[in-house]
Amino acid sequence: MRIAQVAPLAESVPPNLYGGTERVVSWLTEELVAQGHHVTLFASGDSKTSAELVVSVPEGLRLAGVRDHTANILVMLEQVHRRAHEFDIIHFHVDLLQFPLFQDLVHKCVTTLHGRLDLPDFHPIYGAFPAMPLISISDNQRKPMPPSVHWMATIDHGLPADLYTFNPKVGHYLAFLGRIAPEKRPDRAIEIAKRAGIPLKIAAKIDPVDREYFTHVIEPLLDDPLIEFMGEISDQEKSKFLGNALALLFPIDWPEPFGLVMIEAMAMGTPVVAWRKGSVPKIVDEGVTGFIVDSVEAAVHAVRNVGNLSRLQVRQQFETRFTASTMAQRYVTIYERLLAARNPKRIAKEMPIADRLSTLVTPPLSVISKKPGPASLDA
Amino acid sequence: MRIAQVAPLAESVPPNLYGGTERVVSWLTEELVAQGHHVTLFASGDSKTSAELVVSVPEGLRLAGVRDHTANILVMLEQVHRRAHEFDIIHFHVDLLQFPLFQDLVHKCVTTLHGRLDLPDFHPIYGAFPAMPLISISDNQRKPMPPSVHWMATIDHGLPADLYTFNPKVGHYLAFLGRIAPEKRPDRAIEIAKRAGIPLKIAAKIDPVDREYFTHVIEPLLDDPLIEFMGEISDQEKSKFLGNALALLFPIDWPEPFGLVMIEAMAMGTPVVAWRKGSVPKIVDEGVTGFIVDSVEAAVHAVRNVGNLSRLQVRQQFETRFTASTMAQRYVTIYERLLAARNPKRIAKEMPIADRLSTLVTPPLSVISKKPGPASLDA
């Protein structure tokens, strides 16, 4: 299949430092190439890929100091548009600027929405272009969206199976990893650790906007031998930090669209204790890869028992659900449905009747799948 | 001529409170309708116009609390695109989102750039779509732009001749009108007034972002019987405030793309004392409608002599250069050139040879016109 992957330009693909979306685009791209597809990656020039790279800007825009990315993304989209005939599928990882320009090409387009979707400023575009095939990264992420849009599936992120090493040994500390920000609730993590009497290591960057929150709310809580604040850590350190932990604490207070760090921990065998918010109930398999909690009491109980979970089973569940290869396979299924919709003969030969119907009609799916367990390919 | 005017959605057309661009769009639209053209205005639903109004959002986005306007503007552009065949000319007053979508329709498009153009984040789009016909609102505004873009003309803003009443009486105070902001240099205005011994009235809003600048820099300077701070004033008050002044002080320290307030003052016969920055040298006719200065000394000298200028001549110069009718006439000339380029027969009949050539070739104009005096239709 000839596939275009259209990445955001904030970071290189993969990013040198932070940047979840560009990391996922990289994993998907490499996996598709490995599976034998011809992939063209539209991204910044400092990207590293085994696909054909089309350079839109010399380097990732955040580190280049560009604050408004609109113009650069529009120029990239025009590059993609000019070459659209070369691709069977165009897969966008940018939020919304592509909708008007590609409205006559939606039959070969699909957009994965990587961010939170509860900010109403962006809803008009989704309502105005209901034909654009969309992928969510968790069912929960869809909830605030207009009902008319065309969801094709929820597809979990996945990472390469060999990226992190499985660590069979049960650790002695809780890990908090990410940003110091009110919605990430590092204060809650500290409270849980103190009440459970278990050490907590916090590895987190502090964005300028969150500096005051850190100084006034978090710093006063750090004065305890159980709590260690490590600041920002590198990708190399991250592997050790997560792998050696007893559990990852993820006490979030916002509609997290996915939460990559949860599956990173699982890849090393480290279970997750997480709040019932956003994607969490669909990512964590209760009692297998961790515990889902609603209160500090429940969290304290969970971290005291989390050492009893089988780290091997955590890793196995990761391998079943969250590898890049699983993710790529699901995306290929979507690409094939889009292709089949343009070629009814192929449908007749290759697809069961139920799928044929839904592919031919491609109805907007307004109801969010209520099925428990792994994210389903609905619609 | 069937003309579409595509307004920004931040404010209604015209705005209820602030909003220079939407005000100019309103004046141009009304004048074009008065001249017998069929005008379709794409704007927010609380706009008031004698053109056909196509409502894109119910009300101006700023007052509606929408912070990111991208999605709403894209949806409006799609409305315009769908109806493009209904128009001879599509005139955009939004900055850049239209470039990719209308690249195949540039022969009937023109974009007026209303803002400062020295922010490099936006330059890639102008470089990537060099065929889009552009209008600047001052020659100076063009300076930072990539050389390859297609400037068709600089067209001064204009306001309805009967909007403000001419006041023949020489006033007793200097007027400062606009925003309290470092680049507007209210501190300089105060220094000039104090050193000249002439009263200064400051009518200005204070945006939240400038509150600290006001408190720390400006407020301490207000404790002087010569200086009166009036806060924000209404449109009605503005007319009196400017019309009764000895002169408008415009001691700016940034590349002002146009500066509507200067021609508003002139409309009432009030001359302008302004810094040699941005558009100023092309707006103020030295010794006729005011004085252009480079230093506080020169400004003090100017405000002491500005009462000798003929207020009637100031008004007359306004009527010659800065009425909405003059502005609309210049835009119609541009529209006609675009039409003629699509219809060579018409060129042969109606246009002189020099214009014919430039219209047929429509060369990108990389050199900024150096001619003094009123803004010229170059290219």
Side-chain angles (χ1 to χ4, degrees), chain A residues 65-72 74-75 78 81-82 96-104 121-126 128-129, chain B residues 65-72 74-75 78 81-82 96-104 121-126 128-129:
Chain A
V66 178
R67 289 212 276 182
D68 192 315
H69 300 181
T70 310
N72 284 297
L74 287 175
V75 171
E78 153 59 11
H81 192 254
R82 214 179 317 127
L96 51 84
L97 292 171
Q98 71 277 22
F99 282 65
L101 190 58
F102 288 84
Q103 59 189 307
D104 298 330
D121 289 7
F122 300 115
H123 286 180
I125 198 86
Y126 303 117
F129 297 95
Chain B
V66 177
R67 289 212 275 180
D68 192 315
H69 301 180
T70 310
N72 284 297
L74 287 175
V75 171
E78 153 59 12
H81 192 255
R82 214 180 316 126
L96 51 85
L97 292 170
Q98 71 278 20
F99 282 64
L101 191 58
F102 288 86
Q103 58 188 305
D104 297 330
D121 289 8
F122 299 114
H123 286 179
I125 197 88
Y126 303 117
F129 298 95

Side-chain angles (χ1 to χ4, degrees), chain B residues 113-363:
Chain B
L113 294 171
H114 286 264
R116 62 193 296 180
L117 300 174
D118 55 335
L119 304 174
D121 289 8
F122 299 114
H123 286 179
I125 197 88
Y126 303 117
F129 298 95
M132 171 65 85
L134 299 179
I135 305 287
S136 46
I137 58 174
S138 63
D139 289 348
N140 190 276
Q141 182 200 25
R142 297 181 181 186
K143 280 188 180 159
M145 284 280 275
S148 59
V149 301
H150 181 184
W151 293 114
M152 288 196 76
T154 285
I155 299 186
D156 292 326
H157 289 333
L159 51 89
D162 57 359
L163 186 68
Y164 296 113
T165 314
F166 169 59
N167 181 355
K169 231 181 103 198
V170 176
H172 297 293
Y173 62 88
L174 301 168
F176 179 98
L177 179 67
R179 281 183 299 124
I180 294 292
E183 71 271 21
K184 296 284 190 178
R185 296 300 300 265
D187 58 325
R188 224 182 228 168
I190 293 168
E191 191 187 350
I192 294 162
K194 287 182 181 172
R195 285 174 57 175
I198 301 174
L200 170 70
K201 296 190 185 194
I202 301 173
K205 66 167 176 167
I206 307 167
D207 288 335
V209 66
D210 294 313
R211 173 58 62 184
E212 198 175 303
Y213 169 71
F214 177 74
T215 310
H216 287 96
V217 180
I218 300 306
E219 213 165 24
L221 305 175
L222 299 179
D223 188 20
D224 187 304
L226 282 176
I227 313 298
E228 182 184 348
F229 181 74
M230 305 167 66
E232 193 169 345
I233 62 173
S234 72
D235 241 31
Q236 283 70 35
E237 296 169 303
K238 186 163 84 173
S239 166
K240 232 185 208 166
F241 173 74
L242 281 181
N244 291 337
L246 169 65
L248 171 74
L249 262 187
F250 200 64
I252 50 160
D253 209 359
W254 75 299
E256 182 84 48
F258 187 80
L260 266 183
V261 66
M262 291 191 284
I263 67 169
E264 290 178 316
M266 292 176 197
M268 301 175 235
T270 302
V272 179
V273 173
W275 237 252
R276 194 183 306 281
K277 276 274 177 187
S279 64
V280 164
K282 291 295 183 76
I283 306 290
V284 176
D285 290 299
E286 175 74 16
V288 180
T289 56
F291 297 111
I292 303 163
V293 298
D294 301 282
S295 67
V296 172
E297 289 68 33
V300 170
H301 184 77
V303 296
R304 284 186 175 146
N305 288 284
V306 74
N308 298 326
L309 295 179
S310 157
R311 291 183 66 97
L312 184 61
Q313 277 202 329
V314 173
R315 169 71 196 187
Q316 281 167 343
Q317 191 69 349
F318 157 77
E319 284 176 15
T320 307
R321 294 188 54 193
F322 299 119
T323 62
S325 137
T326 301
M327 169 175 69
Q329 204 44 61
R330 286 191 176 140
Y331 274 115
V332 168
T333 306
I334 294 298
Y335 303 160
E336 281 171 349
R337 273 175 56 195
L338 287 168
L339 280 174
R342 281 135 66 189
N343 188 351
K345 273 190 205 155
R346 230 185 110 186
I347 301 179
K349 267 191 285 182
E350 296 174 18
M351 293 180 81
I353 284 172
D355 275 17
R356 253 184 268 173
L357 287 175
S358 71
T359 307
L360 285 168
V361 185
T362 53

Side-chain angles (χ1 to χ4, degrees), chain A residues 44-101:
Chain A
S44 69
D46 50 349
S47 298
K48 288 178 190 65
T49 180
S50 45
E52 182 197 325
L53 178 65
V54 179
V55 173
S56 193
V57 293
E59 56 173 334
L61 297 179
R62 188 175 66 89
L63 296 178
V66 178
R67 289 212 276 182
D68 192 315
H69 300 181
T70 310
N72 284 297
I73 290 180
L74 287 175
V75 171
M76 173 176 66
L77 291 173
E78 153 59 11
Q79 288 179 305
V80 179
H81 192 254
R82 214 179 317 127
R83 297 182 55 174
H85 62 280
E86 300 176 28
F87 311 118
D88 301 310
I89 294 292
I90 303 171
H91 188 169
F92 297 102
H93 301 272
V94 295
D95 291 329
L96 51 84
L97 292 171
Q98 71 277 22
F99 282 65
L101 190 58

Side-chain angles (χ1 to χ4, degrees), chain A residues 12-323:
Chain A
S12 60
V13 175
N16 292 316
L17 299 165
Y18 282 88
T21 300
E22 288 86 349
R23 213 173 295 274
V24 172
V25 173
S26 172
W27 294 331
L28 174 60
T29 298
E30 298 311 306
E31 190 61 36
L32 290 171
V33 171
Q35 292 182 11
H37 297 287
H38 186 274
V39 186
T40 306
L41 173 65
F42 292 82
S44 69
D46 50 349
S47 298
K48 288 178 190 65
T49 180
S50 45
E52 182 197 325
L53 178 65
V54 179
V55 173
S56 193
V57 293
E59 56 173 334
L61 297 179
R62 188 175 66 89
L63 296 178
V66 178
R67 289 212 276 182
D68 192 315
H69 300 181
T70 310
N72 284 297
I73 290 180
L74 287 175
V75 171
M76 173 176 66
L77 291 173
E78 153 59 11
Q79 288 179 305
V80 179
H81 192 254
R82 214 179 317 127
R83 297 182 55 174
H85 62 280
E86 300 176 28
F87 311 118
D88 301 310
I89 294 292
I90 303 171
H91 188 169
F92 297 102
H93 301 272
V94 295
D95 291 329
L96 51 84
L97 292 171
Q98 71 277 22
F99 282 65
L101 190 58
F102 288 84
Q103 59 189 307
D104 298 330
L105 295 169
V106 284
H107 58 275
K108 59 162 75 178
C109 290
V110 59
T111 292
T112 296
L113 295 171
H114 285 263
R116 62 193 296 180
L117 300 174
D118 56 335
L119 304 173
D121 289 7
F122 300 115
H123 286 180
I125 198 86
Y126 303 117
F129 297 95
M132 171 65 85
L134 298 180
I135 306 288
S136 46
I137 57 173
S138 65
D139 290 349
N140 190 276
Q141 183 200 24
R142 298 181 181 186
K143 278 186 180 159
M145 283 280 276
S148 60
V149 301
H150 181 185
W151 293 115
M152 287 197 77
T154 286
I155 299 186
D156 293 325
H157 288 335
L159 51 89
D162 55 359
L163 185 67
Y164 296 112
T165 314
F166 169 59
N167 181 354
K169 231 180 104 199
V170 175
H172 297 294
Y173 62 89
L174 301 168
F176 179 98
L177 179 67
R179 280 184 298 124
I180 294 292
E183 72 270 20
K184 296 285 189 177
R185 294 302 299 265
D187 58 323
R188 224 183 228 166
I190 293 169
E191 190 186 351
I192 294 163
K194 287 181 181 173
R195 285 175 57 176
I198 302 174
L200 170 69
K201 296 189 184 196
I202 301 174
K205 67 167 175 165
I206 307 166
D207 287 335
V209 66
D210 294 313
R211 174 57 59 183
E212 196 175 305
Y213 170 71
F214 177 74
T215 308
H216 287 97
V217 181
I218 299 306
E219 213 164 26
L221 305 175
L222 299 179
D223 189 20
D224 188 303
L226 281 177
I227 314 297
E228 180 185 349
F229 181 74
M230 305 167 65
E232 194 170 345
I233 61 172
S234 73
D235 241 31
Q236 281 70 32
E237 296 169 304
K238 187 163 84 172
S239 166
K240 231 184 209 168
F241 175 74
L242 280 181
N244 291 337
L246 169 65
L248 171 74
L249 264 186
F250 201 64
I252 51 160
D253 209 0
W254 75 298
E256 181 82 50
F258 187 79
L260 266 184
V261 66
M262 291 191 285
I263 67 169
E264 290 178 317
M266 291 177 197
M268 300 176 235
T270 302
V272 178
V273 174
W275 237 252
R276 194 183 307 283
K277 277 276 178 185
S279 63
V280 164
K282 291 295 183 75
I283 305 290
V284 177
D285 291 299
E286 175 74 16
V288 180
T289 55
F291 296 112
I292 303 163
V293 299
D294 301 282
S295 66
V296 172
E297 289 70 32
V300 170
H301 184 76
V303 296
R304 283 184 176 147
N305 289 282
V306 74
N308 299 325
L309 294 180
S310 156
R311 291 183 65 98
L312 184 61
Q313 277 202 330
V314 173
R315 168 72 196 188
Q316 282 167 343
Q317 191 69 349
F318 157 77
E319 284 176 14
T320 307
R321 292 187 57 194
F322 299 119
T323 62

